Amino acid sequence: MVKRRSVLAGGAGWTIVAASAVRAQAWPSQPVKIVVPYIPGGATDTAGRMIAEKLTPLVGQQVIVENKGGGNTIIGMELVAKSKPDGHTLLLGTTTLATNAALGLKQPYDPLKDFQPISTVVDIPDFIALNKDHPAKDYKAFADWVNKQPEKVRFATSGLGNQPHLWGELFKTVVELGMSDLVSAVFFGIVAPAGVPRPVVDRLNGLLRQIIKDPEVEKKFIEMGYVTTGSTPEAYAAKLKFETERWTKVVKDNGIKVES
């Protein structure tokens, strides 16, 4: 009797594994949509279309980009967060997955709970540009120069509360503490609605990382000033948590306020 029960249990276990494998193989059963939360054109849209083009032949279904700009990316992100979690609607997420929460913007979803991270895609590193006649010729020299006369230093960014602005504020906290280095970047990655079956998550992750490391894709990204990344779903989730906490502190410490 014991032996018979063991066999039955083993058979049941095999059925579960087999069902999961079939699920992954069945995806996608229809065209896949990558929502880009910006209007057509620009860095995010370009990255999304490159991914869609390469993913289409790998999955045997058309992969299309749908632009849903507005609301500081909240409109597009809400669409994906509330979509059916079957792997057919994806989001090309940006740094706003972390910074919108840090800024206290009202969002009709929880960016850390209502999305399933799949893989990071690329980083666009932050950098400082100085007048060529400036005496500082490297990062450390510039940090030292700022630290000696912080009241004379001004910096410009493309908008209040965006990632470059927050990075500038962080650079100022860092300099006052005497730290000599700081690494930060605008980052893109693919996420899906929470609840996508794990076999589909794993298959998508493998395909995306394959695309990202494709020499042709990598070359195009490098030419645009991007650094290709790629990660496990767990590493991407940890990055989103870290970035949210990091920028929340920057916003709080500097009293930054933006309108919701």
Side-chain angles (χ1 to χ4, degrees):
M1 181 63 73
V2 174
K3 184 179 292 186
R4 176 174 171 75
R5 285 178 178 172
S6 297
V7 170
L8 288 174
W14 170 253
T15 301
I16 293 170
V17 173
S20 296
V22 168
R23 253 181 178 174
Q25 290 172 359
W27 175 90
S29 58
Q30 62 191 58
V32 176
K33 177 168 60 181
I34 299 178
V35 175
V36 172
Y38 294 94
I39 61 175
T44 316
D45 185 55
T46 300
R49 292 181 187 281
M50 285 179 63
I51 294 295
E53 180 184 351
K54 290 294 184 179
L55 192 56
T56 292
L58 295 178
V59 299
Q61 289 280 357
Q62 187 69 32
V63 181
I64 60 174
V65 168
E66 182 174 322
N67 296 92
K68 285 288 181 181
N72 205 37
T73 72
I74 291 174
I75 293 175
M77 292 201 286
E78 180 183 12
L79 172 65
V80 176
K82 297 182 177 180
S83 294
K84 187 177 179 181
D86 57 8
H88 291 98
T89 303
L90 309 172
L91 171 76
L92 182 58
T94 69
T95 312
T96 56
L97 279 168
T99 57
N100 279 353
L103 291 165
L105 298 183
K106 293 180 181 179
Q107 302 177 89
Y109 50 81
D110 185 324
L112 294 181
K113 294 180 179 179
D114 293 336
F115 293 105
Q116 167 61 59
I118 304 295
S119 174
T120 57
V121 176
V122 293
D123 284 351
I124 304 178
D126 293 310
F127 65 92
I128 298 171
L130 301 174
N131 185 295
K132 64 182 179 62
D133 297 325
H134 195 281
K137 300 304 179 185
D138 57 37
Y139 183 93
K140 186 178 184 309
F142 177 66
D144 291 341
W145 180 83
V146 171
N147 197 36
K148 291 174 183 176
Q149 48 191 355
E151 70 285 349
K152 295 183 180 180
V153 179
R154 300 289 183 272
F155 70 92
T157 70
S158 55
L160 176 66
N162 63 17
Q163 199 270 350
H165 170 216
L166 298 182
W167 184 87
E169 297 291 353
L170 181 60
F171 170 79
K172 181 179 68 176
T173 307
V174 168
V175 171
E176 288 174 354
L177 293 174
M179 298 170 66
S180 62
D181 198 9
L182 173 64
V183 176
S184 180
V186 173
F187 58 91
F188 298 166
I190 296 291
V191 302
V196 172
R198 184 67 198 206
V200 176
V201 171
D202 289 340
R203 186 173 176 215
L204 255 173
N205 177 267
L207 292 173
L208 287 169
R209 294 172 79 175
Q210 176 184 334
I211 291 169
I212 293 163
K213 294 306 177 186
D214 180 296
E216 179 187 351
V217 173
E218 196 166 25
K219 182 175 182 294
K220 287 182 179 178
F221 276 136
I222 290 172
E223 288 172 349
M224 292 188 291
Y226 302 171
V227 176
T228 55
T229 54
S231 70
T232 64
E234 291 74 22
Y236 189 11
K239 179 178 180 64
L240 289 173
K241 183 175 184 296
F242 168 78
E243 294 286 345
T244 300
E245 293 172 351
R246 175 195 220 183
W247 301 123
T248 297
K249 185 176 187 307
V250 171
V251 169
K252 183 178 179 180
D253 290 351
N254 291 278
I256 298 171
K257 296 184 184 297
V258 298
E259 294 184 7
S260 300

